[in-house]
Amino acid sequence: YIQEPIYCIFLYLLYITNHMLEKQRHFHLNNTQLIYETDNFTVYIEQNQTEETKEIVKAIIDRFELTALENFKLWWDEFYDIETYGKLRVYFKSNTGYLGYVLYQSQFCYTLTMDLDQSLSSNNSDNDLTMAHEFTHILQNYLYDKLNREQSYKSWITEGIAEASGVIASEIDCNNALTCSMDSNFSISSGYGIFGTNIQTTYKNAPQFFEYLRIQHGLTGKYHYQFMYEIESNALITSANNGYTSVLESNLDILNSAHNAILNEEIVSSNFSNMHEAIVYFNLAKVISEDNVASYGIKFGYNGIYDQYYLYESMGTGTLEQSGALFFDSTVPQMSITETENLYYYKINSTD
């Protein structure tokens, strides 16, 4: 048993993910031992584990450093400074109730926890995705501390960016990863949107939309860092919350401001006349594409090219989330729709 020196003052928990954010005090050194150390991490596991279990844990770290970590270093200009703040601690603990989570303990002091049971029962693709997803939260926290501008957060941004970054940084095959968000068309026809707070929106639709915007404009994985940088450096959430009473309007303002700033920086023209149009096309892309399409670059199209061409009729009922979409079919040739504030509608006519 090796007792680790306490380098950080434990203050509070900011992120706890897999997928939920909440604030909670947590202490996390008991009953663990140091089993592995790399240039970037010190890795701890519950005591009395088998050598086979330890090797599985080490392999997760090794794969992360080989692939995802290199991609993150390529894309994130503001990267966690190991020389200044020390190696990051990674814990593998049983029965956490999450796939993984990140503890914000104090300024520039964070720990990453992977659920040991989940790590042992999951395949490599799912473990690699979880590790990369949680590491993105480390980078988000670091950006938050480094820039020290934005004091608010929104789960569709933090989790959406973490999931999108996790998928592309780890370079996983979504055919093999059961937790990959990119292969799901979850309930888009039931009104789930992009800016909501439930799991289906935060961990599925939001990251898909970030990837949709990135792919549509031919940008690299740096897009997700740039989006977070614009949020943090310009305090876009605080600004939007102060400028708008409507939650939908404030979210659209954040999205427009960050996205357009990236396009200007990259000198790329938008493929959409406005963000409302981008959301409509995104929703249509999800309906046009079938579930379980491994190549989400095809699924969400590039410059309007999709893998399916026929829009199948569908019906939708339920509560409409912010930026959600409901799809209805009708047997009558003409439909009249009464306009409602903040409601955009498109009628698609089809004949046999």
Side-chain angles (χ1 to χ4, degrees):
Y1 174 67
I2 299 175
Q3 177 66 48
E4 180 197 13
I6 299 176
Y7 294 108
C8 307
I9 299 173
F10 293 82
L11 294 179
Y12 62 94
L13 164 68
L14 179 60
Y15 289 106
I16 185 167
T17 62
N18 175 53
H19 301 269
M20 194 70 65
L21 277 92
E22 61 185 54
K23 293 185 178 180
Q24 170 185 325
R25 293 185 182 274
H26 197 78
F27 295 88
H28 213 219
L29 292 176
N30 295 333
N31 197 34
T32 60
Q33 65 178 128
L34 175 67
I35 64 162
Y36 196 39
E37 187 166 1
T38 71
D39 291 339
N40 305 285
F41 303 107
T42 53
V43 183
Y44 296 80
I45 193 172
E46 289 180 337
Q47 295 187 68
N48 303 320
Q49 299 299 317
T50 66
E51 290 304 313
E52 180 182 5
T53 293
K54 294 176 182 177
E55 290 305 313
I56 291 173
V57 166
K58 292 176 184 179
I60 292 173
I61 301 299
D62 289 343
R63 290 196 306 272
F64 175 80
E65 290 190 324
L66 181 65
T67 302
L69 185 63
E70 293 305 310
N71 284 327
F72 282 126
K73 288 180 178 178
L74 182 65
W75 297 330
W76 287 67
D77 294 340
E78 294 288 352
F79 200 80
Y80 178 79
D81 187 349
I82 292 176
E83 294 297 323
T84 301
Y85 303 111
K87 296 179 182 180
L88 291 162
R89 288 170 291 167
V90 181
Y91 294 93
F92 285 79
K93 301 268 287 183
S94 298
N95 301 316
T96 66
Y98 304 90
L99 291 179
Y101 56 87
V102 166
L103 293 176
Y104 183 109
Q105 297 173 326
S106 63
Q107 190 177 42
F108 300 115
C109 179
Y110 332 105
T111 61
L112 191 159
T113 296
M114 297 276 285
D115 188 277
L116 181 59
D117 300 318
Q118 293 285 350
S119 297
L120 296 177
S121 62
S122 299
N123 60 44
N124 288 350
S125 294
D126 283 305
N127 284 331
D128 294 350
L129 172 55
T130 300
M131 182 70 185
H133 174 113
E134 301 307 335
F135 188 80
T136 307
H137 287 317
I138 295 282
L139 298 178
Q140 289 170 334
N141 277 314
Y142 183 75
L143 198 60
Y144 169 88
D145 284 340
K146 187 73 178 293
L147 300 179
N148 197 26
R149 292 288 307 280
E150 181 60 82
Q151 302 302 313
S152 301
Y153 75 92
K154 287 181 176 287
S155 58
W156 68 269
I157 297 175
T158 54
E159 296 300 339
I161 291 293
E163 186 67 12
S165 293
V167 170
I168 60 174
S170 58
E171 300 181 12
I172 62 167
D173 183 349
C174 282
N175 274 329
N176 299 327
L178 299 178
T179 56
C180 179
S181 64
M182 297 304 165
D183 282 347
S184 172
N185 273 357
F186 192 88
S187 295
I188 192 67
S189 63
S190 296
Y192 288 103
I194 298 165
F195 305 134
T197 57
N198 60 60
I199 290 177
Q200 292 82 2
T201 295
T202 302
Y203 291 94
K204 296 183 183 295
N205 288 355
Q208 288 177 357
F209 187 60
F210 283 124
E211 276 293 86
Y212 179 75
L213 291 176
R214 180 185 72 81
I215 292 167
Q216 284 286 323
H217 296 93
L219 301 175
T220 70
K222 189 174 182 177
Y223 176 87
H224 303 305
Y225 161 75
Q226 291 170 305
F227 197 95
M228 287 304 310
Y229 185 86
E230 291 297 329
I231 295 292
E232 298 294 340
S233 63
N234 295 301
L236 294 182
I237 298 174
T238 299
S239 175
N241 288 343
N242 291 336
Y244 296 92
T245 56
S246 164
V247 177
L248 176 59
E249 287 180 324
S250 67
N251 282 325
L252 280 172
D253 181 71
I254 296 166
L255 183 58
N256 271 312
S257 298
H259 178 69
N260 290 335
I262 296 170
L263 296 187
N264 290 335
E265 180 180 346
E266 297 295 326
I267 316 178
V268 173
S269 299
S270 176
N271 284 337
F272 308 103
S273 58
N274 53 54
M275 194 55 70
H276 296 98
E277 182 180 271
I279 292 173
V280 169
Y281 287 173
F282 168 71
N283 284 326
L284 289 176
K286 289 173 69 67
V287 174
I288 292 170
S289 296
E290 296 176 351
D291 287 346
N292 299 318
V293 179
S295 176
Y296 56 89
I298 297 175
K299 177 177 181 177
F300 294 153
Y302 184 78
N303 290 334
I305 300 174
Y306 302 100
D307 57 330
Q308 278 86 33
Y309 64 90
Y310 183 76
L311 179 60
Y312 292 92
E313 294 177 318
S314 61
M315 299 183 66
T317 59
T319 302
L320 187 66
E321 267 202 354
Q322 298 170 29
S323 70
L326 291 171
F327 298 94
F328 300 89
D329 63 14
S330 174
T331 57
V332 297
Q334 300 293 330
M335 294 179 63
S336 60
I337 302 176
T338 302
E339 290 193 47
T340 304
E341 185 179 3
N342 291 330
L343 174 65
Y344 294 82
Y345 65 91
Y346 290 76
K347 292 187 288 186
I348 303 172
N349 298 316
S350 62
T351 58
D352 293 333

